[in-house]
Amino acid sequence: MTDTTKVPARVFPRAKQDAETAAHGVHTPQTTHPAYRLAFQDMDFLLREDLRPVRFQLELLKPELILDEARIASTFVFYGSARIPEPDSARALLDAAPADGPARKIAERLFEKSKYYDVARELARMVSNFPVDEAGMRHFVVCSGGGPSIMEAANRGAADVGADSIALNIVLPHEQAPNPYVTPGLSLQFHYFALRKMHFLLRARALAAFPGGFGTFDELFELLTLIQTGKIKPVPILLYGREFWERVVNFPALVEEGVISEKDLSLFSYCETAEEGWACVRRHYAEHDPTI
C-alpha cells in the first residue's frame, strides 16, 4: 500500500502575503501609527542611521542573488572615463573648439583617446562570445559602471553580439541613468561605493582599465592593492593606453622611491588593441584552462 498523503511545503504564509494582509487591515489610531508597520515595510525605520549595517547587508545580498540566478560565474570588468566621447562626437567637439588655448588642448586629447571607445567595444564583443561551461554557467560576462563613454562601449559591444551585460550604477547628486545597452535585468544600482566596488571584484576574472579619472584610479588601485597584499589571487589587469598611464602615473618612480617592489610592476599589462588584451587573458589562464 502506498501512502499518498501530501506533506505541505510550508505552513507559515510568505512575507509577501503578510505584507498584503497588513496593507488591507483595519484602520485605527493604533494600526495607522508608524510603530505598527511591519519592519520590512517601514522605510523610515530602514533608513535610520543605526540601520546602516542592515542596508549594507541588503546591498551586498540583492546583486549577489540576481547574478546567481542569472548563472553568471565570472565577469570581465571594464573601467574608464565617463568623459571620453566616441570618435564621431570627439571629432565634432574638436571641430567646435577654439583654435588655441586650454579648451583646444583638452579637445585634442579627448579626440586622441576616443579610439579607445571602439577598442573597448571590440574587446567586449570578443569576451562575450566565450561559451558557457558544462554546468550552464556564464563566464567573462561584461560588467561596467553603467555610465556613458568607455562604460557604454563595453555594454554596447556585448549587445552587438546578442550577449547580456551588467551595469553597477551608483546614486550620484546629478541625474544619471544606465546607458541603453545594459541588460535591464542586470542593471543594478548602489548607494554605497564600498559595496559597489566589492561587486565589481567578487566575480571579476579579468579587468580592462581605460584612461579615466578619480573613479577609475580608485577602483584600479584598490584591485592592485588587493593582489599586492595577497588578499585575492592575481587576475589579468589590462591598462589600455600606455602613453596615458605613463604620463599620469610614474610607476617606476614608485619602485625607485622604495614604496612598491619591482615585481609589483608585473601585476598589470599595457595594451592597445582588443586582440592584444584578450591574448593577455588567455595567456594568464593557459596553465589552468587551456581551452581559454
Side-chain angles (χ1 to χ4, degrees):
M1 181 180 294
T2 302
D3 190 346
T4 58
T5 302
K6 290 187 177 180
V7 180
R10 63 186 298 134
V11 293
F12 286 97
R14 297 184 183 277
K16 183 178 181 180
Q17 291 175 286
D18 270 346
E20 291 172 350
T21 300
H24 297 93
V26 296
H27 297 281
T28 70
Q30 292 77 22
T31 63
T32 55
H33 193 280
Y36 197 73
R37 295 174 190 156
L38 288 170
F40 57 82
Q41 287 187 307
D42 189 341
M43 291 304 297
D44 291 333
F45 171 69
L46 291 173
L47 297 177
R48 285 169 57 122
E49 286 293 311
D50 42 8
L51 265 288
R52 182 176 289 115
V54 175
R55 294 195 297 276
F56 263 58
Q57 289 179 302
L58 292 173
E59 196 151 283
L60 176 64
L61 182 60
K62 180 181 177 180
E64 185 72 9
L65 293 176
I66 289 174
L67 297 179
D68 275 348
E69 290 167 358
R71 303 185 69 76
I72 295 172
S74 68
T75 59
F76 198 120
V77 174
F78 287 69
Y79 291 153
S81 175
R83 304 186 184 192
I84 299 174
E86 60 180 312
D88 288 345
S89 299
R91 167 57 70 183
L93 289 174
L94 181 60
D95 291 343
D100 53 23
R104 179 72 183 186
K105 290 181 179 180
I106 290 174
E108 289 173 348
R109 291 194 176 276
L110 286 174
F111 179 73
E112 290 170 3
K113 290 189 287 291
S114 67
K115 63 185 178 183
Y116 292 116
Y117 183 100
D118 288 338
V119 174
R121 184 177 176 183
E122 177 59 26
L123 179 61
R125 288 194 198 107
M126 296 177 71
V127 305
S128 294
N129 283 317
F130 194 81
V132 298
D133 63 22
E134 293 179 355
M137 301 299 291
R138 296 190 275 177
H139 293 275
F140 294 123
V141 177
V142 168
C143 177
S144 84
S149 187
I150 298 299
M151 294 173 280
E152 175 188 282
N155 296 117
R156 186 175 181 179
D160 287 342
V161 295
D164 288 342
S165 67
I166 304 165
L168 306 184
N169 220 272
I170 186 79
V171 176
L172 296 174
H174 53 276
E175 183 179 354
Q176 65 160 6
N179 69 68
Y181 303 102
V182 180
T183 301
L186 298 176
S187 183
L188 310 172
Q189 184 172 212
F190 291 81
H191 170 69
Y192 298 106
F193 265 107
L195 274 299
R196 178 180 183 245
K197 290 198 291 184
M198 193 169 184
H199 273 292
F200 266 129
L201 300 183
L202 281 174
R203 286 174 168 77
R205 297 299 179 269
L207 184 142
F210 289 81
F214 290 159
T216 300
F217 276 53
D218 177 37
E219 291 153 343
L220 171 63
F221 278 92
E222 179 167 19
L223 174 57
L224 289 171
T225 302
L226 289 170
I227 297 175
Q228 180 200 49
T229 55
K231 297 294 287 184
I232 65 173
K233 294 179 180 180
V235 298
I237 300 175
L238 315 176
L239 297 190
Y240 273 90
R242 183 169 192 149
E243 181 181 355
F244 169 83
W245 289 107
E246 289 187 339
R247 181 169 185 265
V248 299
V249 184
N250 192 336
F251 289 107
L254 295 176
V255 177
E256 293 170 5
E257 293 292 332
V259 293
I260 67 172
S261 61
E262 183 76 30
K263 67 178 182 180
D264 292 331
L265 298 182
S266 66
L267 296 179
F268 53 85
S269 302
Y270 292 112
C271 297
E272 292 297 329
T273 67
E275 292 79 6
E276 186 181 5
W278 186 227
C280 285
V281 175
R282 291 168 64 92
R283 281 197 302 271
H284 179 92
Y285 288 112
E287 64 183 64
H288 304 292
D289 186 351
T291 65
I292 293 179

